[in-house]
Amino acid sequence: MQNYEESVSFLGTSGPFQRRVFVLLCLTSIPCGYNILSVIFLLAIPPHHCHIPASSNLSQDWIQASIPVQVAGQPERSSCSRYSLDVVQNLSAMGFRPGLDQIQNQSVLGWSPEVVLSGLQQEGCRDGWTYSTEYYQSTVVTEFDLVCGNEWKQPLTSLVYFLGGLCGCFISGQISDRFGRKPALFGSIAILSIFSAAASWASSWLVFTVLFFIMGVGQIGCFIVIFVLGSEILIGPTRFLFSQLGLSSVYVCGMLLLSGTAHLFRNWRYLSLAMAAPGLAFIPFWWLVPESPRWLVSRGRFQEAESLLRLAALENRVEAPPVIFLSTNVDKAESQKAESVSFLDLLRTKNIRNITLMLWLIWFSMNVCYFGLSFDMSNLSGNPYLNNFLLSVVEIPAFAASWGAARRLPRCQSFMSFVMVGAIALLLILFTLHSHPTLTLVLVLLGKFGVLAGISVLYMYTGELFPTVVRNTAMSSCAMFARVGSSLSPFLLHLAVFGQFLPWILVAFLSFFAALLCIFLPETFRRPMPDTIQQMQRIRRFRLPCVSSTRPPKDDGKSAKDQITVPDIICTTRL
């Protein structure tokens, strides 16, 4: 186990086998990216006002005037009240015209008298609502009237979706570490697709919410397993390219496809049904994607691992050694086979407990920031499909920056640099929010760039810190806390009720907090990836390691080429 990378080095790093796995796993991430921000379109709230029944026999002027106009910055029609319909009908029958100034008597010219609308009694939307169809033909909100008195159900539905992701992180991690990466991966994709199709037939808000929860279970589970599976099968530069650029770029393509699909299917039921198609299309990949040889070795299943590696050697047209795993390593692996297959092992020893708790807090903080900014950006004025498209495109420079930093800079230094850039940009918004809207938009994008690039490095950092025996469970547990943060993010904007700048201050504070915690984590840059808990590095004491230059220890007789192929686990996305 200790020399796994050396044992499989005969395969090389970029043969036909590696290229096939690279492409298959990247493509398999499309359903994950396709569904992650589906809440933006499925739960969109179009402009709306109280419905005026056609049976009221009111003129068009009175129908328009029956909705009060609220003046708060820009004048807009009330969404949750109307003038009393009985009073309006009586005034219309008496020959009055709607007016805004004052009650007037019959004029000398014979005009009808006008009535002051602001003095009329108001009532709720007893006959339902009329929704704008400019961008959405129907959404879950318009279908089940999740507005006004039921407005609380809309953010609750988003919360339930992300809580499903939290459960999915825990379940998929346990299944993946116990039964294999492939069953967890394709099980998650099947759950995501089947329940997305089922949600399109939901007859009530409660039924949709239950199905939406299960969709959340599958969404995050598939991405976590893809990341771990690719990082364990691929080695050297190919793994670096896969996890840092390939996987993240295809994931963003899934997000971009969602914008186009939502623009094409503006009815939420058709959209939910269409969201099931990518996952179902990738189910046949079960017969193409191999199991992780590294996981098989960690479970003591050496014959299966050797068979898989020999097939890979044939595909790469290289000769496999007669014995791939030496007997001494086999004995070590057998003795450590049952070492760590439980979630509780992440808290068993003091060192792994400290690392786990700090990473949980960092993941929580960063995802509150990311999703808070994402939901805020989606509320910009203009075409929501174009806004979401731009929201996804802006992530590509962040991926490129994190990829460049990961090649040359230590993990701690890279993470802190990106996060600090984002935090400072968000703090500067306090001075530009009202006076410079264009500059504010630039700062928001810069803040999102820093936060996302930090999350990219965080994925890589977390994967390198934990050993093989608990890596998927550890990644899933971190994603669980990321889901807690994303669950709270829809409510972040409501803090503006207590102070207009409070949401921005909170996001900046959480970014600074995450950067501070990173100081205590051990450095993993160009260091071997641990396979057992005993091989994990020790947590750092109170000092500033990122200020001083931290260089990896020199090899005893190993070439520079060998050092370059030391495993790096890198991945970027939003969870």
Side-chain angles (χ1 to χ4, degrees):
M1 285 285 285
Q2 217 169 9
N3 299 315
Y4 174 85
E5 297 286 340
E6 296 179 3
S7 300
V8 300
S9 60
F10 66 90
L11 284 176
T13 60
S14 59
F17 171 75
Q18 287 88 349
R19 291 195 292 270
R20 177 171 64 88
V21 171
F22 185 104
V23 172
L24 290 175
L25 291 181
C26 285
L27 291 176
T28 308
S29 70
I30 289 179
C32 311
Y34 197 68
N35 285 267
I36 182 63
L37 293 179
S38 59
V39 293
I40 293 177
F41 299 113
L42 293 178
L43 299 176
I45 306 177
H48 54 278
H49 58 79
C50 292
H51 177 64
I52 306 298
S55 59
S56 60
N57 294 323
L58 294 176
S59 66
Q60 191 62 34
D61 288 341
W62 271 112
I63 291 176
Q64 293 293 327
S66 296
I67 308 300
V69 176
Q70 299 174 336
V71 180
Q74 293 292 331
E76 59 181 14
R77 305 176 77 186
S78 174
S79 300
C80 299
S81 65
R82 69 185 182 187
Y83 293 119
S84 176
L85 191 58
D86 292 337
V87 174
V88 170
Q89 286 176 315
N90 290 335
L91 290 172
S92 177
M94 295 170 60
F96 285 92
R97 293 189 301 111
L100 297 175
D101 297 329
Q102 58 183 359
I103 298 178
Q104 299 176 346
N105 293 325
Q106 185 89 11
S107 72
V108 294
L109 296 179
W111 292 347
S112 299
E114 293 186 350
V115 61
V116 175
L117 296 178
S118 59
L120 298 182
Q121 179 184 354
Q122 297 186 17
E123 63 183 8
C125 300
R126 297 179 179 180
D127 299 299
W129 290 264
T130 298
Y131 297 93
S132 169
T133 56
E134 181 182 4
Y135 296 116
Y136 303 100
Q137 200 173 50
S138 74
T139 68
V140 175
V141 172
T142 65
E143 180 93 6
F144 304 118
D145 290 330
L146 307 184
V147 294
C148 298
N150 290 323
E151 187 178 5
W152 58 272
K153 293 182 179 180
Q154 194 264 358
L156 178 63
T157 309
S158 299
L159 172 65
V160 168
Y161 175 75
F162 288 118
L163 289 179
L166 188 151
C167 296
C169 294
F170 179 79
I171 296 171
S172 67
Q174 294 293 300
I175 293 176
S176 178
D177 281 340
R178 287 177 181 268
F179 303 107
R181 312 312 193 197
K182 281 181 64 177
L185 170 59
F186 290 96
S188 297
I189 292 177
I191 288 174
L192 180 62
S193 299
I194 292 171
F195 285 92
S196 178
S200 66
W201 299 94
S203 58
S204 67
W205 169 76
L206 183 59
V207 172
F208 174 81
T209 303
V210 173
L211 296 174
F212 209 39
F213 172 85
I214 303 176
M215 285 174 59
V217 172
Q219 191 280 325
I220 189 60
C222 64
F223 181 82
I224 289 292
V225 182
I226 291 172
F227 161 67
V228 173
L229 185 59
S231 67
E232 291 181 347
I233 294 179
L234 304 173
I235 60 175
T238 305
R239 174 165 53 199
F240 184 93
L241 183 63
F242 162 80
S243 53
Q244 190 66 17
L245 276 183
L247 182 60
S248 57
S249 298
V250 178
Y251 189 98
V252 171
C253 289
M255 297 175 64
L256 297 176
L257 286 174
L258 176 64
S259 300
T261 306
H263 184 269
L264 183 64
F265 300 104
R266 302 197 178 194
N267 183 303
W268 76 269
R269 293 186 183 275
Y270 295 148
L271 176 60
S272 182
L273 193 61
M275 286 164 51
L280 295 176
F282 288 110
I283 292 297
F285 277 35
W286 169 273
W287 291 275
L288 300 176
V289 174
E291 183 56 271
S292 166
R294 190 161 196 151
W295 176 81
L296 291 172
V297 170
S298 72
R299 301 295 294 167
R301 295 161 61 175
F302 292 94
Q303 289 185 350
E304 296 177 60
E306 287 205 9
S307 298
L308 194 155
L309 292 171
R310 292 188 188 282
L311 289 175
L314 289 175
E315 188 173 348
N316 283 357
R317 298 180 181 179
V318 297
E319 184 177 353
V323 179
I324 297 178
F325 301 106
L326 301 177
S327 59
T328 55
N329 290 332
V330 171
D331 293 339
K332 288 181 181 179
E334 289 286 358
S335 65
Q336 295 161 351
K337 174 182 174 181
E339 174 194 351
S340 218
V341 292
S342 170
F343 178 84
L344 296 178
D345 285 293
L346 297 175
L347 305 172
R348 194 170 302 280
T349 65
K350 182 178 180 180
N351 186 56
I352 193 173
R353 181 168 60 249
N354 289 335
I355 292 176
T356 300
L357 292 176
M358 284 192 292
L359 284 172
W360 285 351
L361 290 174
I362 293 174
W363 278 69
F364 169 83
S365 301
M366 296 303 296
N367 278 268
V368 170
C369 299
Y370 174 81
F371 279 97
L373 290 172
S374 296
F375 286 124
D376 187 33
M377 289 286 290
S378 66
N379 290 329
L380 291 176
S381 60
N383 189 310
Y385 307 105
L386 179 59
N387 287 345
N388 190 72
F389 183 85
L390 296 176
L391 174 70
S392 303
V393 168
V394 78
E395 299 185 1
I396 296 178
F399 295 148
S402 62
W403 172 75
R407 296 182 62 187
R408 301 183 180 277
L409 298 176
R411 310 309 182 212
C412 178
Q413 182 178 334
S414 301
F415 177 80
M416 291 186 66
S417 300
F418 287 127
V419 173
M420 293 295 288
V421 167
I424 293 172
L426 294 173
L427 283 179
L428 291 176
I429 292 175
L430 304 181
F431 304 99
T432 65
L433 188 59
H434 299 297
S435 57
H436 300 86
T438 303
L439 182 57
T440 299
L441 177 60
V442 173
L443 290 174
V444 170
L445 293 177
L446 182 60
K448 188 172 186 293
F449 166 87
V451 169
L452 180 59
I455 292 176
S456 303
V457 177
L458 184 60
Y459 256 96
M460 164 192 61
Y461 204 0
T462 304
E464 292 176 343
L465 283 169
F466 286 105
T468 302
V469 288
V470 290
R471 183 170 297 116
N472 208 120
T473 297
M475 292 295 300
S476 296
S477 71
C478 290
M480 284 173 57
F481 278 83
R483 276 302 193 228
V484 174
S486 59
S487 301
L488 297 177
S489 59
F491 301 93
L492 186 64
L493 297 179
H494 293 279
L495 292 176
V497 175
F498 306 100
Q500 194 168 15
F501 298 110
L502 191 55
W504 304 107
I505 294 174
L506 179 61
V507 170
F509 169 78
L510 289 175
S511 299
F512 281 119
F513 176 67
L516 178 64
L517 287 178
C518 183
I519 293 176
F520 300 96
L521 294 175
E523 184 55 68
T524 61
F525 183 53
R526 291 183 179 174
R527 295 175 186 259
M529 188 169 59
D531 287 312
T532 65
I533 292 179
Q534 288 75 16
Q535 294 173 5
M536 289 183 66
Q537 298 187 58
R538 294 291 174 182
I539 193 172
R540 287 171 167 169
R541 299 302 176 187
F542 186 75
R543 58 194 180 95
L544 298 177
C546 296
V547 175
S548 60
S549 178
T550 306
R551 296 186 178 276
K554 293 184 178 180
D555 265 295
D556 295 331
K558 289 185 180 180
S559 66
K561 180 179 179 181
D562 294 331
Q563 285 193 350
I564 293 175
T565 59
V566 170
D568 288 325
I569 293 189
I570 303 166
C571 181
T572 57
T573 188
R574 75 251 26 74
L575 283 177

